[in-house]
Amino acid sequence: MDDFLIKFFPAVYEKKKLVHEDNYCKYDNEYLQLFTSSLYIAALVASFVASKVCSKFGRRTTLQIGSFFFVIGVALQASGVNLAMVVLGRIILGFGVGFGNQAVPLFLSELAPARLRGALNICFQLFITIGILIAGIINYFTSNIHPHGWRISLGLAGIPAMILLVGSFAICETPTSLIERNQIDQGKDTLRRIRGTDNISAEFDSIVAASEAARQVKNPFRKLMRPSSRPPLVIAIVLQVFQQFTGINAIMFYAPVLFQTVGFGSNAALLSTVITGLVNVFSTLVSIYTVDKAGRRVLLLEACVQMFITQTVIGMLLLLHLKPTGSLGSTEAMVVVVLVCVYVMGFAWSWGPLGWLIPSETFPLETRTAGFACAVSSNMLCTFIIAQAFLSMLCHMKAGIFFFFAAWILVMGLFTLFLLPETKGVPVDSMAERVWKQHWFWKRYMIDDDENDGDKVVKG
């Protein structure tokens, strides 16, 4: 929004208004990128603290702490009077993201029955996409409120922050977390209540056995370095790297910038962002319906083909038709919008939700919070890199940035084809026996590591 740029990024505003400014470079500003990316470096650091809190105090408490960070961060941003204040607000929001991303996927995976785990966990991604859509709609309308439309936009984020805070006191703790922390009877009662039946013996015994093994691990991060932990750890980290290097956050963060680059005005660019937000939401619904039927691998592989084609064609269109000054013709610009929507569609029913689902369901209990913290931190690090670098990459690589992301998508497809096992319908605590020990490549790491060098407590 111009009012926001004038107050905090006047240099960017001046460049934006220059008629002959290079299309690809008008937003290239390290401070503007810092405003976006500071949230994610804070989330990276917070995820490791959240891992400890998650193990010691439970998923519910972790979510409550994250909610407080969200409320404080929103207040600082909406009332910001200088750049330092709004960046500090972003950093505090980042702490909230780190705690929330640590707790919510684990909470959902541990609460859900195996047959519905994929669909319920993807609800996490669904509501993220709904949030993105709502943010786009709010920005579209508040952009015409001068001079404080940006304050309204940032301040309205306080509504979901308060809903999350209040809701975090209303939910129950997961049975797994309760049993893991020696609250056996409460864990059993909670399991019976959420399953709606007294016939829970098999699942309860499985959780108790996993908790006993987990309690003997003194240092879960050290345990993660052992060969038997390598398959889920590598998969979790690689999926997070791939999820961000599809280029999705470059598209979603800077969609208004991208659409203005190809010739849309400010309001038209914001409206195009709302359209991509709608596509994002409805495509995530497709994932909820298909993930526990078709499986994880099919969705990921199909999306790689879809995203590779769209990124390549967008790159070709911009390379051939968008000069440093001027804009695309109306036909080419509309084709770019359609291709971006098709690209977002593929991501939203695959790498978006499954990038969170698969790491949340593949770690054994003794390394679950530590392993998922590594996944969250990897995601935040890659998101930080993309958010901090994208505008400069767009300036220097121009249309080539789309070929850069297309090359990553090709690598992702090959990795999925050969190294990613299917986890559909497998109980969380049976992954080692039914997934990793059966896989042609990963089974070589599933050696007996009970004889250890201090990872477990020695019983007398």
Side-chain angles (χ1 to χ4, degrees):
M1 297 180 189
D2 285 349
D3 293 322
F4 183 77
L5 292 177
I6 290 168
K7 185 167 184 64
F8 298 110
F9 305 99
V12 176
Y13 178 75
E14 290 300 321
K15 286 174 66 177
K16 178 182 175 182
K17 292 303 178 186
L18 290 176
V19 176
H20 300 295
E21 181 65 30
D22 190 319
N23 274 319
Y24 293 100
C25 298
K26 65 178 70 175
Y27 290 97
D28 182 22
N29 181 279
E30 63 272 21
Y31 294 111
L32 182 57
Q33 293 175 122
L34 177 64
F35 171 74
T36 302
S37 64
S38 57
L39 184 150
Y40 299 97
I41 200 69
L44 187 160
V45 174
S47 63
F48 288 103
V49 179
S51 169
K52 296 288 187 182
V53 175
C54 222
S55 293
K56 189 169 183 179
F57 300 104
R59 289 43 165 162
R60 181 172 177 257
T61 300
T62 306
L63 191 54
Q64 289 168 351
I65 295 171
S67 302
F68 280 112
F69 282 130
F70 281 127
V71 172
I72 296 168
V74 166
L76 273 173
Q77 283 202 304
S79 61
V81 295
N82 52 47
L83 183 59
M85 193 169 175
V86 294
V87 170
L88 178 61
R90 288 285 288 180
I91 290 171
I92 293 174
L93 285 174
F95 294 153
V97 170
F99 275 75
N101 279 353
Q102 176 70 27
V104 175
L106 292 180
F107 180 89
L108 294 173
S109 286
E110 292 177 350
L111 217 60
R115 72 183 187 280
L116 298 175
R117 186 175 65 245
L120 289 177
N121 202 292
I122 290 173
C123 285
F124 172 58
Q125 181 70 17
L126 171 65
F127 281 91
I128 288 176
T129 63
I130 292 172
I132 293 170
L133 172 61
I134 292 172
I137 294 171
I138 288 171
N139 286 339
Y140 177 71
F141 286 105
T142 57
S143 64
N144 294 313
I145 301 174
H146 305 288
H148 297 303
W150 64 271
R151 290 192 189 275
I152 298 171
S153 181
L154 293 177
L156 286 175
I159 295 174
M162 288 303 301
I163 292 172
L164 187 64
L165 177 60
V166 173
S168 67
F169 285 93
I171 59 175
C172 65
E173 183 58 89
T174 71
T176 300
S177 179
L178 290 167
I179 293 168
E180 182 184 23
R181 291 180 290 124
N182 278 320
Q183 300 176 40
I184 307 297
D185 292 338
Q186 189 177 346
K188 190 171 187 177
D189 290 341
T190 302
L191 183 62
R192 186 182 295 115
R193 187 168 70 255
I194 64 175
R195 295 291 180 258
T197 177
D198 290 331
N199 186 23
I200 58 166
S201 298
E203 185 176 3
F204 176 75
D205 291 343
S206 175
I207 295 172
V208 169
S211 298
E212 284 293 330
R215 269 194 290 271
Q216 294 181 48
V217 176
K218 294 195 297 183
N219 190 332
F221 283 99
R222 187 177 181 182
K223 173 75 172 177
L224 275 177
M225 298 300 105
R226 302 190 65 83
S228 62
S229 297
R230 203 161 297 159
L233 181 63
V234 170
I235 291 290
I237 292 175
V238 168
L239 283 180
Q240 303 309 311
V241 174
F242 285 162
Q243 187 194 69
Q244 296 310 311
F245 279 85
T246 59
I248 185 61
N249 274 338
I251 296 291
M252 299 306 288
F253 288 167
Y254 301 112
V257 175
L258 175 64
F259 291 136
Q260 285 183 53
T261 295
V262 301
F264 288 80
S266 296
N267 282 356
L270 287 170
L271 183 59
S272 300
T273 308
V274 172
I275 294 170
T276 58
L278 281 167
V279 171
N280 204 7
V281 171
F282 286 110
S283 300
T284 306
L285 289 171
V286 172
S287 184
I288 290 174
Y289 180 75
T290 58
V291 68
D292 289 316
K293 296 182 174 67
R296 283 64 162 151
R297 278 168 47 87
V298 169
L299 291 175
L300 293 173
L301 288 169
E302 184 280 332
C304 282
V305 175
Q306 188 171 329
M307 292 190 296
F308 178 82
I309 292 171
T310 52
Q311 288 276 33
T312 303
V313 176
I314 291 172
M316 289 298 295
L317 279 172
L318 298 187
L319 183 65
L320 295 174
H321 298 289
L322 183 64
K323 306 305 178 186
T325 57
S327 60
L328 287 181
S330 58
T331 301
E332 291 91 347
M334 285 306 302
V335 170
V336 169
V337 172
V338 171
L339 288 171
V340 167
C341 288
V342 174
Y343 164 82
V344 170
M345 189 184 302
F347 178 87
W349 64 48
S350 61
W351 289 89
L354 300 184
W356 292 111
L357 168 61
I358 294 171
S360 75
E361 66 184 4
T362 49
F363 286 101
L365 182 59
E366 60 263 30
T367 57
R368 189 169 298 159
T369 58
F372 199 70
C374 291
V376 172
S377 62
S378 300
N379 185 286
M380 294 302 111
L381 176 61
C382 292
T383 308
F384 167 77
I385 292 170
I386 293 294
Q388 185 64 30
F390 175 72
L391 293 179
S392 296
M393 290 170 68
L394 182 64
C395 180
H396 290 91
M397 299 174 69
K398 297 181 168 46
I401 194 169
F402 293 95
F403 300 118
F404 170 81
F405 289 128
W408 274 96
I409 292 168
L410 180 62
V411 174
M412 290 160 46
L414 293 173
F415 181 90
T416 303
L417 184 63
F418 293 108
L419 293 174
L420 186 69
E422 182 57 71
T423 55
K424 177 186 72 172
V426 180
V428 172
D429 295 312
S430 302
M431 290 290 172
E433 295 296 327
R434 293 176 55 178
V435 174
W436 306 119
K437 289 184 179 180
Q438 307 302 319
H439 191 267
W440 72 272
F441 180 79
W442 298 117
K443 65 182 180 183
R444 71 189 65 185
Y445 296 101
M446 302 308 292
I447 61 175
D448 182 5
D449 60 6
D450 283 342
E451 296 296 325
N452 56 70
D453 54 0
D455 279 345
K456 295 183 178 180
V457 176
V458 178
K459 294 185 177 180

